[in-house]
Amino acid sequence: MSNPQHLQYTKEHEWLTAAVDGISTVGITKHAADALGDIVYVQLPEVGDTVTAGETCGELESTKSVSDLYSPVTGEVTEVNQDVLDDNGLVNSAPFEAGWLFKVRVESTDELLSADEYDALTHAG
Amino acid sequence: MSSLRLTALDALHRALGATMTDFAGWDMPLRYGSEREEHLAVRTKAGLFDLSHMGEITVTGPQAGEMLDHALVGFVSALGVLRARYTMICAEDGGILDDLIVYRLREDAFLVVANASNAQLVLDELIARAKGFDAVVTDDRDTYALIAVQGPEATGILAETTDADLPGLKYYAILPAKVAGKDVLLARTGYTGEDGFEIFCHPVDAEPIWQALTAAGEGHGLVPCGLSCRDTLRLEAGMPLYGHELSTDLTPFDAGLGRVVRFDKTTNEGAFVGRKALEQAAAAAESNPPKVLVGLVSEGKRVPRAEYTVVSTDGAPIGRITSGAPSPTLGKPIAMAYVDAAHAAPGTTVAVDVRGKHEPVQVVALPFYKRAR
């Protein structure tokens, strides 16, 4: 599994970019996308919504299950990925790139994991 | 982890990169790549399944047929040699213990195939119910591996690996044959809504047979398929699954499958386990229809899932979802549900409580999908 070194991660399998002008991008990891299987429905927060670190802000639905999307940060949503809403399969095919979910103006973050720490978590067991 | 049972094809699944899952104590392939693509391959080309977790039980002896007439709700002794029947085993109170396929291999030998999750229970019940009959119940779960090839290309693919008379093998029939040079029992009893075959083989022959079918399937679009797409295929085909549409809380009449109960048996003076309760269930179903198993189709994207509550348009609870999934063939979420008879007519609009929000759905006749013949 290749988790990009330049990202930070949550135990709930979201990833987060370093902030550029105070704004970070959020997605779910390949590990999470693979575990879910084909994603058929994505519900994201709306632009202008305030999301809270560690709380649910959307949901991802696959053939077999539905899982909550947790926000890794607290802040205001500045953009959502319309391409993903139009083509849910991007989350499966390019979770770290075209399958990003939303951008947020970061006020504060939860405790985040480095790529190495996330590798250790997902390889465990 | 280590206590999970492995099929004879386990190493092959791992080499193919399958995502594995614990299913009824077996480590089984859930999917190899995209479950949606596997599903569509079965609908349009063909899919190859490892179903070795299914529970095979053999019943032999001069009274094997009578014994099964006593133990099951079906009229098993009336089955022709090399034919198969869908049937059920019920408790004394009429509750469904499992749904089964019974194959008559010879005049005095039957192969009973139980669901993996119920195989031990069915075996124990059959052994207990065989008392007093000249019949022997044998646990054959380790005797057979089971491979299925399903889809419109299944016949063409299988024909390249066997000289068995495939056109002569009818739906719901079985035939001793050779596949890839190995002795097998070849059955035509699908669970996907497509034409296809099940191959009961010796576990040591499973890998060569799988490989031969894979080679024959090249150019036919055959792909290995996991249990995830098997579930969406059977849901589209409106086929009940034990633990979802069927349970000990329901009689066959509650499940809309009263036709499998054969009160007309001529053996054992017509007596069989559960008869009295099932006669009452049949009468009750006649006078006061129980909840009805229906299909639901959603125009939204959120999926009604098992155990979600079905509500009327004014919000009153009227039933529950038993299975639900996004349908790859229809491109919409579909579900099966038990609902009050008053809301069961096709065309009725009801709703499903999807995690607090009522999503409108329409009642449709089952199945959702029927192949063109």
Side-chain angles (χ1 to χ4, degrees):
Chain A
M1 188 129 343
S2 55
N3 291 302
Q5 282 290 331
H6 66 280
L7 301 175
Q8 289 188 291
Y9 299 87
T10 69
K11 288 175 183 160
E12 284 79 30
H13 311 290
E14 287 86 21
W15 55 260
L16 179 75
T17 62
V20 175
D21 296 335
I23 293 174
S24 287
T25 305
V26 176
I28 65 163
T29 65
K30 183 170 190 324
H31 174 85
D34 286 350
L36 279 166
D38 292 334
I39 291 168
V40 297
Y41 174 66
V42 176
Q43 185 196 46
L44 297 176
E46 292 181 13
V47 173
D49 284 357
T50 297
V51 292
T52 305
E55 293 190 3
T56 63
C57 63
E59 59 185 37
L60 298 167
E61 188 142 19
S62 67
T63 304
K64 294 306 278 183
S65 65
V66 56
S67 73
D68 286 323
L69 174 67
Y70 293 90
S71 180
V73 302
T74 298
E76 184 187 331
V77 175
T78 59
E79 190 179 347
V80 297
N81 188 352
Q82 188 61 41
D83 290 346
V84 157
L85 294 175
D86 294 340
D87 177 7
N88 306 149
L90 286 175
V91 180
N92 293 108
S93 59
F96 292 116
E97 293 100 22
W100 63 274
L101 299 178
F102 62 91
K103 298 188 182 195
V104 57
R105 187 177 305 282
V106 180
E107 287 171 22
S108 63
T109 66
D110 237 0
E111 197 183 330
L112 296 169
L113 306 176
S114 69
D116 289 344
E117 288 167 334
Y118 184 69
D119 281 346
L121 177 78
T122 50
H123 292 177
Chain B
M1 279 293 273
S2 58
S3 63
L4 286 180
R5 298 180 69 174
L6 307 180
T7 80
L9 295 165
D10 188 72
L12 203 62
H13 298 319
R14 288 167 204 283
L16 288 167
T19 300
M20 306 296 286
T21 187
D22 173 2
F23 188 88
W26 289 81
D27 204 16
M28 298 298 293
L30 183 64
R31 53 188 150 81
Y32 298 84
S34 156
E35 63 244 318
R36 185 173 174 280
E37 282 166 23
E38 291 170 19
H39 180 112
L40 295 173
V42 174
R43 286 277 178 260
T44 58
K45 301 284 175 57
L48 190 58
F49 296 83
D50 180 5
L51 304 178
S52 298
H53 60 312
M54 302 294 287
E56 296 88 0
I57 300 162
T58 306
V59 183
T60 54
Q63 289 189 301
E66 276 172 74
M67 178 265 162
L68 288 169
D69 283 348
H70 160 72
L72 310 180
V73 301
F75 193 178
V76 179
S77 65
L79 195 57
V81 172
L82 299 181
R83 298 310 302 265
R85 197 73 89 225
Y86 177 77
T87 185
M88 293 181 182
I89 181 168
C90 288
E92 281 287 1
D93 69 359
I96 302 166
L97 296 176
D98 201 10
D99 63 336
L100 309 164
I101 291 182
V102 177
Y103 301 92
R104 188 167 208 165
L105 301 180
R106 298 189 307 268
E107 194 62 39
D108 62 349
F110 296 82
L111 176 63
V112 177
V113 180
N115 285 295
S117 50
N118 294 328
Q120 188 63 50
L121 173 78
V122 173
L123 177 67
D124 293 344
E125 279 296 324
L126 289 182
I127 289 170
R129 295 179 188 189
K131 286 207 178 78
F133 289 92
D134 189 357
V136 176
V137 177
T138 308
D139 177 2
D140 269 342
R141 284 175 290 183
D142 293 335
T143 306
Y144 295 107
L146 181 57
I147 295 169
V149 53
Q150 293 276 308
E153 301 279 332
T155 306
I157 293 165
L158 188 59
E160 292 184 29
T161 66
T162 181
D163 55 5
D165 174 21
L166 299 183
L169 181 61
K170 293 191 173 69
Y171 191 51
Y172 268 73
I174 192 165
L175 186 71
K178 278 194 191 293
V179 172
K182 313 293 184 188
D183 287 316
V184 305
L185 291 169
L186 186 59
R188 199 168 202 159
T189 38
Y191 188 60
T192 61
E194 298 301 329
D195 187 18
F197 301 87
E198 282 79 48
I199 302 161
F200 295 88
C201 64
H202 194 283
V204 300
D205 296 333
E207 191 164 330
I209 289 171
W210 179 282
Q211 300 284 23
L213 289 166
T214 300
E218 273 180 43
H220 287 276
L222 178 75
V223 299
C225 292
L227 295 183
S228 181
C229 80
R230 183 171 156 87
D231 191 45
T232 49
L233 288 160
R234 72 91 197 166
L235 176 59
E236 284 183 353
M239 295 183 185
L241 174 63
Y242 199 87
H244 289 256
E245 286 71 39
L246 309 176
S247 74
T248 49
D249 296 336
L250 299 171
T251 70
F253 295 95
D254 298 321
L257 291 164
R259 62 188 157 76
V260 305
V261 181
R262 294 288 296 271
F263 294 120
D264 61 336
K265 295 183 205 191
T266 53
T267 53
N268 313 322
E269 295 167 338
F272 60 92
V273 177
R275 175 163 190 140
K276 203 165 176 195
L278 289 168
E279 281 174 340
Q280 289 167 1
E286 191 82 18
S287 61
N288 179 24
K291 288 194 186 297
V292 179
L293 186 66
V294 298
L296 301 175
V297 173
S298 172
E299 294 302 324
K301 290 187 85 176
R302 303 175 91 205
V303 182
R305 296 189 185 271
E307 299 306 321
Y308 288 5
T309 301
V310 183
V311 297
S312 64
T313 46
D314 53 15
I318 55 165
R320 68 179 177 90
I321 303 287
T322 51
S323 299
S327 161
T329 305
L330 277 66
K332 298 171 182 180
I334 59 171
M336 287 200 271
Y338 282 110
V339 301
D340 292 339
H343 299 272
T348 307
T349 297
V350 296
V352 178
D353 185 333
V354 180
R355 301 184 294 284
K357 188 161 178 283
H358 289 184
E359 300 276 348
V361 293
Q362 189 154 66
V363 177
V364 299
L366 290 170
F368 300 98
Y369 166 86
K370 202 165 188 178
R371 76 186 161 100
R373 291 186 191 240

